[in-house]
Amino acid sequence: MEIREANETELQLLRMQQQVKDIAREKHKEVIGIEQTAGEEWVIVSKKEEGSTLQFMINDCTSPYRGSWDFALQVEYKDSHHLFIGDIKGEPCRGFGSICMEYLKETAWSNNCKITGDLAKRDWGHLDRLTHFYKKHSFSVFVDETEKAGQVYWTGM
C-alpha cells in the first residue's frame, strides 16, 4: 500500500511540475500557489486578471493539464475598494472553493477591498451548502426566502 501511495504522489508531483510550466505560458495567467486539499490532493492555484475581471483557478494534479481549469472563482472590481463575486464554478466539496476564497480574501485584504456577492434563484438548489461555505469564510449572509435572493458581505474584520 505504501509503495502505491508513493507512486501516486510522485506522479502528482511530476504532473504538477509540467502543469506549472504550461499554465505560466498562458496569456494573462499567473501561477500564485501550490496547495494541498484536506483530502491530500495537490493543486495549482493560478490567477487571471483582465481589465476589471479577476479569476482564481484551481488545476488538480491527478490528471494531465488540458488547457482548462478544474475550479474557478470569478470576481469583478466594482471600484478600487470593492470586489464582487460573480460566479463559483466547479465540483463542490473538494476543498477547491476554500483555497480560492483564501486567495481572494488575501487579495482583498492587501488592496483594502470589501467583498460582496449575490445569492440568486439559480443558487436555491444548493443554498444550504452555499450559505455554510460563506459563513465558514467569515461572510455575513442575508437571505430573502420570499424573493429567493440574497447577499453576502465580507469586510476583512
Side-chain angles (χ1 to χ4, degrees):
M1 186 71 163
E2 288 180 25
I3 293 173
R4 182 177 177 185
E5 288 176 11
N7 287 340
E8 287 176 16
T9 301
E10 185 177 344
L11 183 57
Q12 280 191 38
L13 292 173
L14 289 170
R15 281 191 182 127
M16 181 190 312
Q17 183 180 26
Q18 186 59 48
Q19 287 185 24
V20 166
K21 291 177 189 176
D22 293 343
I23 292 168
R25 286 186 195 118
E26 292 187 25
K27 189 174 184 179
H28 302 293
K29 270 193 184 177
E30 173 186 0
V31 174
I32 57 173
I34 295 172
E35 303 287 339
Q36 193 172 28
T37 67
E40 298 185 7
E41 199 174 345
W42 286 101
V43 297
I44 298 166
V45 185
S46 58
K47 178 174 79 170
K48 183 176 183 178
E49 264 187 276
E50 288 186 282
S52 64
T53 303
L54 176 61
Q55 187 174 29
F56 295 93
M57 296 155 287
I58 296 279
N59 289 90
D60 72 36
C61 298
T62 59
S63 59
Y65 180 67
R66 304 248 189 266
S68 62
W69 42 260
D70 296 300
F71 188 93
L73 174 62
Q74 298 173 326
V75 298
E76 179 184 347
Y77 279 98
K78 290 295 187 180
D79 61 45
S80 60
H81 297 290
H82 180 188
L83 288 164
F84 180 82
I85 299 172
D87 207 354
I88 301 173
K89 299 178 179 181
E91 190 178 331
C93 303
R94 291 184 69 188
F96 296 172
S98 290
I99 291 170
C100 286
M101 186 59 75
E102 289 305 318
Y103 279 91
L104 171 59
K105 291 186 327 186
E106 183 180 298
T107 299
W109 183 261
S110 65
N111 291 303
N112 196 27
C113 291
K114 66 181 178 182
I115 305 170
T116 63
D118 289 335
L119 300 174
K121 285 183 182 180
R122 72 175 183 266
D123 297 321
W124 242 246
H126 56 274
L127 185 64
D128 289 344
R129 187 178 73 236
L130 195 55
T131 300
H132 170 77
F133 173 75
Y134 280 118
K135 286 181 177 181
K136 178 173 80 171
H137 290 286
S138 304
F139 279 74
S140 297
V141 179
F142 304 97
V143 176
D144 183 339
E145 295 281 343
T146 307
E147 295 294 320
K148 289 193 174 180
Q151 295 180 330
V152 298
Y153 189 80
W154 183 83
T155 60
M157 303 292 172

